[in-house]
Amino acid sequence: MSTADLATPSNPAAIFAALGDPTRLSLLRRLSSGRTQSIARLSVDTSLTRQAITKHLHVLEMAGLVSSLRIGRETQFAYRPEPIVAARTYLEEVAVQWDDALGRLKALVEK
């Protein structure tokens, strides 16, 4: 994923793409506790390798859903809620558009 794929409020596709994988959803859920966690800690109780965890975390980071901080030899990852808020706002806007379209269709059919 390139930096052009980074999620923005006007382009939430990267957020939805990152959330479209069960492993990434699981990692995000674990990180949403508010504590930063290392790759080693995130790989506990999973059948995934550290390399696989790293790959998934990179996708989440490119979408803006997590941030990383290098501390010595270890990288710590933290959840970032702002992209989820942007995605929720986008979905609410789409829902309003669909509600409006369905209302117009209903009015047309009932004429």
Side-chain angles (χ1 to χ4, degrees):
M1 193 174 289
S2 71
T3 54
D5 295 327
L6 286 173
T8 64
S10 63
N11 179 23
I15 297 167
F16 294 121
L19 295 175
D21 181 88
T23 299
R24 290 193 288 271
L25 284 173
S26 175
L27 288 169
L28 203 57
R29 178 177 287 137
R30 292 177 70 185
L31 287 167
S32 68
S33 69
R35 289 185 18 214
T36 61
Q37 296 187 51
S38 67
I39 294 167
R41 185 172 186 87
L42 289 166
S43 63
V44 171
D45 296 331
T46 179
S47 61
L48 296 172
T49 65
R50 289 182 186 189
Q51 290 82 7
I53 298 285
T54 301
K55 177 183 169 192
H56 287 291
L57 287 168
H58 181 68
V59 172
L60 291 170
E61 188 170 26
M62 292 300 294
L65 293 161
V66 300
S67 61
S68 64
L69 176 64
R70 186 90 173 158
I71 302 173
R73 294 176 48 179
E74 195 172 67
T75 302
Q76 294 284 317
F77 289 86
Y79 169 65
R80 294 187 61 239
E82 301 87 2
I84 296 294
V85 172
R88 173 180 271 168
T89 300
Y90 173 81
L91 290 174
E92 288 169 354
E93 291 169 0
V94 170
V96 167
Q97 290 174 351
W98 275 102
D99 288 345
D100 290 347
L102 290 172
R104 289 190 305 273
L105 179 61
K106 181 180 178 188
L108 181 66
V109 169
E110 291 176 348
K111 268 189 171 179

